[in-house]
Amino acid sequence: MRPVRLAASVLAALLAVAAGGVPALAAAPEYYLAVGDSLSVGAQPGKGPTDEGYTDDLYAALRKKHPDLKLVKLGCGGETTTTMLKGGICTYPEGSQVGAAEAFLKKHAGAVRYVTLNIGANNTGCMLDGDIACGLTGMAALVAELPQIASRLRAAGGDGPAYAAMTYYDPGLAAWVTGGAGQAVAVASVPVVDIFNTWEQAVYLLNGYKVADVNAAFSTHDFTTKATVAPYGTIPLNVARICTWTYQCTDGDGHATPPGYQRIADTFEHVLS
């Protein structure tokens, strides 16, 4: 800017103040950083990542309180705790999703208002296909690596942001609609998911995260209450919610439907409000 133009700008600002006004200043951006697996990018079968995920729905709700909030999605479909730490699925300049998140948090120190995290389902998802050995290996990695992920994000962001993470719902409940043997599988799946979620929740709480209990929001333990869902008829509420809020019953795909993602977002919003 030339000196004359600069002087004119300063004079205009001074005159505005003298007249009782305040020069308009651009609001500094604030950020909501979303880290995680395919759920964090709203993945749906046949569509891949979408703008209908829980992070999008949560962002819409949070912007009502913070109009200058910007959503930054770093999530990666298929991510495990191992790949989140070391890379290997999605490409990040920093080498991994955790590295990218750390870099963002440090670069925008003081400007990140929210951080959400979901990770771990892909560590043990192979259990749904009956591969118990694979699931146990993935669980061992989860036990070792989730504390690293949670603590590194917290250390990079400091005390400024509000941190929240989620428990997972149980896609295994969908086996109920296949008949008697499937019902036994559905019942047996619940305590397995409980073990998984108990560990995740403990790690998150120890690292100062609020926990969005999505498992409870999906009524995972409620075999008593009944609901009618076409074409399955009258089924337990927990099964009905898996069939309605995920694609597991129809497509064998555990990703959430748009109503399911909204339910997850509502659960996060509750703990962040």
Side-chain angles (χ1 to χ4, degrees), residues 16 20 26 29 31 65 71 109 114 200 261-262:
Y31 297 98
K65 302 176 184 177
L71 172 61
Y114 301 102
E200 291 225 324
Y261 278 126
Q262 183 63 64

Side-chain angles (χ1 to χ4, degrees), residues 39 118 165-173 186 189-198 200-201 204 211-223 237-239 241-242 245-246 260 263-265 267-268 271:
L39 291 184
N118 72 280
M166 60 174 271
T167 60
Y168 280 91
Y169 50 82
D170 180 9
L173 288 168
S189 71
V190 173
V192 175
V193 173
D194 283 346
I195 293 170
F196 174 95
N197 280 328
T198 297
E200 291 225 324
Q201 188 168 12
Y204 294 140
V211 178
D213 195 355
V214 171
N215 183 264
F218 274 58
S219 302
T220 296
H221 293 87
D222 192 350
F223 285 98
L237 179 63
N238 52 359
V239 178
R241 290 192 162 176
I242 286 298
W245 290 345
T246 80
R263 182 68 169 184
I264 296 170
T267 309
F268 267 103
V271 301

Side-chain angles (χ1 to χ4, degrees), residues 24 29 31 83 120 134 136 142 163 204 227 254:
Y31 297 98
T83 61
C134 167
L136 292 174
L142 177 77
Y163 300 84
Y204 294 140

Side-chain angles (χ1 to χ4, degrees), residues 129-165:
D129 300 321
D131 193 338
I132 303 301
C134 167
L136 292 174
T137 299
M139 188 65 190
L142 177 77
V143 168
E145 295 166 348
L146 185 62
Q148 298 177 50
I149 293 168
S151 62
R152 283 177 60 175
L153 293 176
R154 190 75 168 72
D159 295 332
Y163 300 84

Side-chain angles (χ1 to χ4, degrees), residues 229-233:
V229 178
Y232 311 111

Side-chain angles (χ1 to χ4, degrees), residues 23-256:
L25 298 175
E30 297 179 303
Y31 297 98
Y32 160 27
L33 178 65
V35 183
D37 58 27
S38 55
L39 291 184
S40 72
V41 292
Q44 296 179 49
K47 295 183 179 180
T50 71
D51 60 359
E52 300 177 305
Y54 81 81
T55 56
D56 304 283
D57 295 333
L58 178 58
Y59 173 56
L62 296 175
R63 276 195 75 191
K64 294 177 181 178
K65 302 176 184 177
H66 310 286
D68 298 311
L69 194 66
K70 297 182 182 298
L71 172 61
V72 177
K73 293 184 187 179
L74 291 182
C76 176
E79 197 85 295
T80 66
T81 54
T82 301
T83 61
M84 180 172 274
L85 285 168
K86 300 179 180 179
I89 297 179
C90 296
T91 301
Y92 301 93
E94 298 82 3
S96 70
Q97 187 176 168
V98 163
E102 288 176 317
F104 185 88
L105 288 165
K106 291 174 182 177
K107 180 179 179 180
H108 299 282
V112 180
R113 184 173 283 274
Y114 301 102
V115 177
T116 61
L117 168 65
N118 72 280
I119 192 65
N122 292 314
N123 283 57
T124 58
C126 47
M127 282 186 172
L128 289 175
D129 300 321
D131 193 338
I132 303 301
C134 167
L136 292 174
T137 299
M139 188 65 190
L142 177 77
V143 168
E145 295 166 348
L146 185 62
Q148 298 177 50
I149 293 168
S151 62
R152 283 177 60 175
L153 293 176
R154 190 75 168 72
D159 295 332
Y163 300 84
M166 60 174 271
T167 60
Y168 280 91
Y169 50 82
D170 180 9
L173 288 168
W176 182 279
V177 301
T178 64
Q183 291 175 11
V185 171
V187 171
S189 71
V190 173
V192 175
V193 173
D194 283 346
I195 293 170
F196 174 95
N197 280 328
T198 297
W199 172 251
E200 291 225 324
Q201 188 168 12
V203 170
Y204 294 140
L205 291 174
L206 284 171
N207 284 279
Y209 290 66
K210 296 180 179 180
V211 178
D213 195 355
V214 171
N215 183 264
F218 274 58
S219 302
T220 296
H221 293 87
D222 192 350
F223 285 98
T224 302
T225 307
K226 305 299 180 184
T228 301
V229 178
Y232 311 111
T234 301
I235 54 179
L237 179 63
N238 52 359
V239 178
R241 290 192 162 176
I242 286 298
C243 289
T244 303
W245 290 345
T246 80
Y247 295 95
Q248 189 68 39
C249 296
T250 54
D251 299 332
D253 188 306
H255 290 104

